[in-house]
DNA sequence: AGTTGACTATTTAAGTTAAATTGGTCAATA
DNA sequence: TATTGACCAATTTAACTTAAATAGTCAACT
């Protein structure tokens, strides 16, 4: 009886999607509360109440409180990555390192949780700053978006200087990036940068210090994009599997 | 009786210098202890013991504990400034913004207290981070070494780009500077920068993003230095007076 | 005179205990 | 069978007490 089989599969599918939707709702609640009260002070009871489920339900999804928040941070990282990738894809010159960084900064700065994760905000993340470093912390994403492989690709296509070593270049763009991410907190009011100024200035700094002057043929740009897309898709697949596991338990 | 007058003056002079030397000793002790235990946990008793004076003596120099530490931070700022100025003077190309920043970074990074002051290290400075911002915090020094006036001078001599606004340039070098000052704490081991790498990379970044390519005649460099020296001397005089006042009562 | 350190009024830290909260479980329920 | 929320042990917080430490003073001493 194939119809029976189909119905079963459909039912199971519906159920899986309801389950998934509920997990998302719980994570939404957790995201909301962690931004308001910080990790330390957001309790499972609060999350359950805000998500409209019973406390026990949360433990049907994650074994411990920490697991829940780990999943939340992983989801945030993934979503931010998707945003960044999308902005890069919509930018004809998105493949330049300067623009990769610009889009990265824009997205991270406009997502409070991603920002907290990136700058290791203890006020928000509490003890999680420790756990969420290498593993979750947008770092694997950064490696993907502008890792060593990417730099090599850009260099081979004349989109990055070759009179500096790759190692130094990585250190430089990290320093400059973090600089623009965090200066404002050290600057007096009259020198505060708006988000627009920050991202544009960041892009210009990266461009001037790491990219050569020569123009790049649209043809080449296309090639780079193609290669990069493969790279990203590969990584994305791995990360998505990880995400599923993390959220569903 | 002139001889009497002379003796009196000498005696007063000796006394003043002894007094001054004692004040320095007390500040040395405070500097030592604040680095070891942080502001919150270094007590006046400790300082007195380490400086070899009685507690009451300290109150002959400063009205409150906070005044003492304010004087300490001011002294540190001044000494760091002197170091920086000296390095700049010994560098034939010291007048380039990239090198001003390089020397600034080197000195600040090699002086634990100056560094703590600059990056607003709460562990070391405790509540002092608040008080020591605009007023003490190397910021007035920075304004001197690379303030708006300096940038205007450099621009007029072709040593700075003129296709960016001064305001943006100030923001950029601040961001880049802070970036190189603080990246290491966000970077994994394999990307850590040594002090040499940091200062050199900082200089290169600043040079590439803010300085034009064209070479500058030694003649011009000399002119800039002369003008700058005046500017610095003026400021230094003011600051020194301030320092004297701060240390003596 | 300049310097000291015992002294005091406060602040901070440590200790104690009770109450409240929390993460996690599981028998009852829909 | 999937979900719930009363329940529990363990932990955290809060309130309170007590002891120790501290900043600043000042009479006594050099």
């Amino acid at each position: 009886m194939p119809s029976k089989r189909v119905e079963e599969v459909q039912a199971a599918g519906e159920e899986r999607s309801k389950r998934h939707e509920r997990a998302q709702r719980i994570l939404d609640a957790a995201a909301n509360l962690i931004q308001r009260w910080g990790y330390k002070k957001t309790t499972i009871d609060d999350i359950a109440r805000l998500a409209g489920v019973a406390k026990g339900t949360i433990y049907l999804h994650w074994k411990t409180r920490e697991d829940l928040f780990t999943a939340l941070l992983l989801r945030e990282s993934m979503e931010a990555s998707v945003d960044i990738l999308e902005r890069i894809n919509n930018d004809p010159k998105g493949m330049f390192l300067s623009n990769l960084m610009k889009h990265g900064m824009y997205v991270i700065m406009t997502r409070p949780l991603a920002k907290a994760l990136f700058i290791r905000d203890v006020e928000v993340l509490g003890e999680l700053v420790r756990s969420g470093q290498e593993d979750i912390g947008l770092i694997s994403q950064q490696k993907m978006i502008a890792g060593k492989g990417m730099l090599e690709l850009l260099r081979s296509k004349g989109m990055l200087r070759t009179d500096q070593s790759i190692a130094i270049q990585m250190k430089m763009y990290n320093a400059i990036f973090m600089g623009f991410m965090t200066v404002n907190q050290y600057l007096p009011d009259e020198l505060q940068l708006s988000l627009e100024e920050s991202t544009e200035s960041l892009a210009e700094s990266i461009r001037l210090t790491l990219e050569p002057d020569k123009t790049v043929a649209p043809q080449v740009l296309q090639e780079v994009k193609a290669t990069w897309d493969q790279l990203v898709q590969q990584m994305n697949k791995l990360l998505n599997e990880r995400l599923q596991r993390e959220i569903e338990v």
Side-chain angles (χ1 to χ4, degrees), chain A:
Chain A
M1 274 125 188
S3 75
K4 181 79 185 301
R5 283 291 299 269
V6 168
E7 269 167 27
E8 265 177 0
V9 170
Q10 272 183 350
E14 256 175 52
E15 207 168 282
R16 274 247 315 265
S17 103
K18 269 191 92 170
R19 212 185 125 77
H20 184 262
E21 184 262 329
R22 188 177 60 187
Q24 295 297 328
R25 221 171 56 239
I26 294 170
L27 291 182
D28 290 343
N32 188 324
L33 293 170
I34 198 178
Q35 286 174 66
R36 251 207 278 241
W37 307 113
Y39 172 67
K40 195 186 167 191
K41 298 187 89 80
T42 88
T43 67
I44 297 288
D45 280 293
D46 292 336
I47 296 170
R49 201 176 317 125
L50 189 59
V53 297
K55 187 156 61 158
T57 306
I58 289 179
Y59 288 91
L60 298 174
H61 288 269
W62 299 278
K63 274 212 309 293
T64 67
R65 183 173 104 108
E66 206 187 322
D67 282 355
L68 189 168
F69 282 99
T70 301
L72 171 63
L73 295 185
L74 187 64
R75 186 185 75 163
E76 180 65 22
S77 297
M78 298 294 304
E79 288 182 1
S81 282
V82 170
D83 277 14
I84 295 169
L85 262 30
E86 198 187 315
R87 289 178 66 88
I88 291 170
N89 275 325
N90 289 335
D91 179 352
K93 302 206 166 181
M95 279 300 101
F96 286 93
L97 182 64
S98 52
N99 290 328
L100 296 179
M101 308 253 77
K102 180 173 80 177
H103 295 309
M105 178 172 180
Y106 182 86
V107 168
I108 292 174
M109 290 297 271
T110 51
R111 289 181 148 263
L113 237 189
K115 188 180 173 193
L117 197 50
F118 202 85
I119 66 171
R120 310 219 205 309
D121 188 334
V122 182
E123 298 281 305
V124 175
L125 301 181
E127 314 152 4
L128 286 179
V129 277
R130 261 160 267 288
S131 83
Q133 290 213 90
E134 273 296 312
D135 217 27
I136 314 164
L138 285 174
I139 285 175
S140 43
Q141 273 75 11
Q142 210 200 80
K143 274 189 186 148
M144 175 179 77
I145 292 171
K148 200 180 167 197
M150 181 62 186
L151 294 200
E152 277 163 358
L153 175 59
L154 291 176
R155 282 164 76 106
S156 74
K157 298 296 183 178
M159 293 172 66
L160 252 199
R161 286 171 175 269
T162 47
D163 58 345
Q164 302 150 328
S165 74
I166 291 192
I168 285 287
Q169 285 180 327
M170 293 188 75
K171 292 169 184 179
M172 278 179 152
Y173 81 69
N174 272 298
I176 296 173
F177 187 74
M178 285 310 306
F180 279 93
M181 291 279 292
T182 58
V183 242
N184 267 348
Q185 86 186 95
Y186 297 100
L187 250 36
D189 288 349
E190 69 270 22
L191 285 177
Q192 291 289 313
L193 290 97
S194 71
L195 183 54
E196 295 311 303
E197 281 180 322
S198 291
T199 52
E200 289 304 325
S201 299
L202 166 67
E204 192 175 356
S205 301
I206 296 285
R207 181 172 63 78
L208 289 168
T209 103
L210 294 173
E211 296 174 7
D213 316 306
K214 60 182 164 195
T215 55
V216 178
Q219 161 76 22
V220 175
L221 227 58
Q222 213 57 34
E223 284 172 32
V224 174
K225 183 100 153 227
T227 315
W228 189 63
D229 274 343
Q230 287 182 350
L231 230 148
V232 167
Q233 249 172 51
Q234 242 173 280
M235 292 267 191
N236 252 358
K237 205 175 145 195
L238 279 170
L239 286 169
N240 257 316
E241 280 162 18
R242 165 94 194 275
L243 182 63
Q244 291 312 316
R245 240 178 305 132
E246 207 80 42
I247 285 193
E248 296 300 334
V249 165

